[in-house]
Amino acid sequence: MQLQDGRPTDTTGRLDKEIRTYDFLDNLGIKYQRIDHEAAYTMEACEEIDKALEATICKNLFLCNHQKTKFYLLMIPGDKTFKTKELSHQIGSSRLSFASPEYMEKYLDITPGSVSVMGLMNDHDNAVRLLVDEDVLKGEWLGCHPCVNTSSLRLKTADVFGPVIKAMHHDMTVVKLTGEA
C-alpha cells in the first residue's frame, strides 16, 4: 500500500463516480494523495490505510429524521461513539436514524461503505446537510474515499472545509460530540 500523488494514470475498471471525484479536485487545483486498497467496509479495515495516510480518518454517517424529509452527512473522528440524542439536540432534529442505501445513492451517488464528504459534489439540490464534529477540523490532513471504498484520499483539512465545500455549494454545521459511552 503506497501513497501516490493525484489521480491514477490508468483508469481502466474504475467507476465514473471515482473519476468524477478526481476531475472535481483537479479542476479546483486541490492537491491530494491517493492509496488504492481492497474494499474497506469497516473502521477496523481502515486501520492499515490510516497509518499510510497519516490523516484524520472519519466515520461518515448518513442519517435522516424520522419522516425521511431531512438528510445529514455526519463526520466524526473514527474513535468517537455516535449517540443520537447528543446530536439531535444540537441540530434541532429528533429521532435521527441511519438513512437507507437508496437515499444514499439518490443524493450522494454513493453506496454503503463508501460514504464520504466527496459525495456532496453529487448533491446538486443541497438535500443533505453536512455536520462536522469539531475534532475533525483540528488535524492538518483529512482522509476520505473518492466515492468508492477501494481508494482513499489524503487532503489538507483546510482545503476540504474551504474551497472544496464551497465549490460543492454546501455549508457545514460544526457540532460537538463527546463520544463517551
Side-chain angles (χ1 to χ4, degrees), residues 15-18 20-21 40-41 60-62 72-75 99-123 128 130 144-151 153 168:
L15 297 177
D16 287 343
K17 57 185 157 187
E18 179 183 5
R20 282 195 319 266
T21 302
Y41 291 101
N60 296 280
L61 306 176
F62 189 57
Y72 307 92
L73 174 59
L74 172 64
M75 298 176 69
S100 70
E102 292 79 22
Y103 286 115
M104 192 182 298
E105 278 198 81
K106 176 181 177 179
Y107 294 122
L108 303 177
D109 192 21
I110 290 180
T111 55
S114 304
V115 181
S116 162
V117 66
M118 296 310 300
L120 292 174
M121 71 180 188
N122 301 312
D123 179 25
V128 179
L130 177 61
C144 67
H145 291 306
C147 297
V148 296
N149 67 354
T150 52
S151 291
L153 302 178
M168 292 176 179

Side-chain angles (χ1 to χ4, degrees), residues 7-16 18-19 22 36 150-151:
R7 69 188 312 128
T9 51
D10 181 8
T11 58
T12 305
R14 296 193 185 249
L15 297 177
D16 287 343
E18 179 183 5
I19 302 307
Y22 303 134
D36 295 325
T150 52
S151 291

Side-chain angles (χ1 to χ4, degrees), residues 3-179:
L3 207 53
Q4 300 174 30
D5 290 330
R7 69 188 312 128
T9 51
D10 181 8
T11 58
T12 305
R14 296 193 185 249
L15 297 177
D16 287 343
K17 57 185 157 187
E18 179 183 5
I19 302 307
R20 282 195 319 266
T21 302
Y22 303 134
D23 291 344
F24 180 82
L25 293 170
D26 292 346
N27 287 337
L28 289 175
I30 302 294
K31 294 195 181 303
Y32 58 94
Q33 292 177 299
R34 185 191 86 258
I35 292 178
D36 295 325
H37 49 75
E38 295 295 319
Y41 291 101
T42 64
M43 290 305 293
E44 292 77 25
C46 292
E47 285 181 20
E48 187 178 338
I49 300 163
D50 294 357
K51 290 176 188 169
L53 285 178
E54 296 179 358
T56 300
I57 305 298
C58 299
K59 286 182 197 174
N60 296 280
L61 306 176
F62 189 57
L63 308 168
C64 65
N65 64 355
H66 181 65
Q67 298 82 7
K68 296 178 178 53
T69 56
K70 294 184 179 180
F71 296 88
Y72 307 92
L73 174 59
L74 172 64
M75 298 176 69
I76 62 174
D79 59 354
K80 276 197 177 182
T81 304
F82 167 63
K83 292 193 303 194
T84 306
K85 184 178 180 182
E86 190 177 26
L87 179 63
S88 294
H89 175 72
Q90 292 181 55
I91 64 170
S93 180
S94 61
R95 302 201 52 193
L96 290 174
S97 62
F98 291 99
S100 70
E102 292 79 22
Y103 286 115
M104 192 182 298
E105 278 198 81
K106 176 181 177 179
Y107 294 122
L108 303 177
D109 192 21
I110 290 180
T111 55
S114 304
V115 181
S116 162
V117 66
M118 296 310 300
L120 292 174
M121 71 180 188
N122 301 312
D123 179 25
H124 304 292
D125 296 326
N126 285 349
V128 179
R129 181 174 167 191
L130 177 61
L131 308 173
V132 182
D133 181 83
E134 64 183 5
D135 290 338
V136 170
L137 302 171
K138 293 178 180 175
E140 181 181 2
W141 298 98
L142 183 76
C144 67
H145 291 306
C147 297
V148 296
N149 67 354
T150 52
S151 291
S152 294
L153 302 178
R154 179 180 193 245
L155 300 119
K156 287 215 173 260
T157 303
D159 286 343
V160 174
F161 297 110
V164 170
I165 294 297
K166 183 178 180 182
M168 292 176 179
H169 306 289
H170 275 74
D171 295 319
M172 68 174 172
T173 301
V174 178
V175 296
K176 181 177 183 170
L177 302 175
T178 63

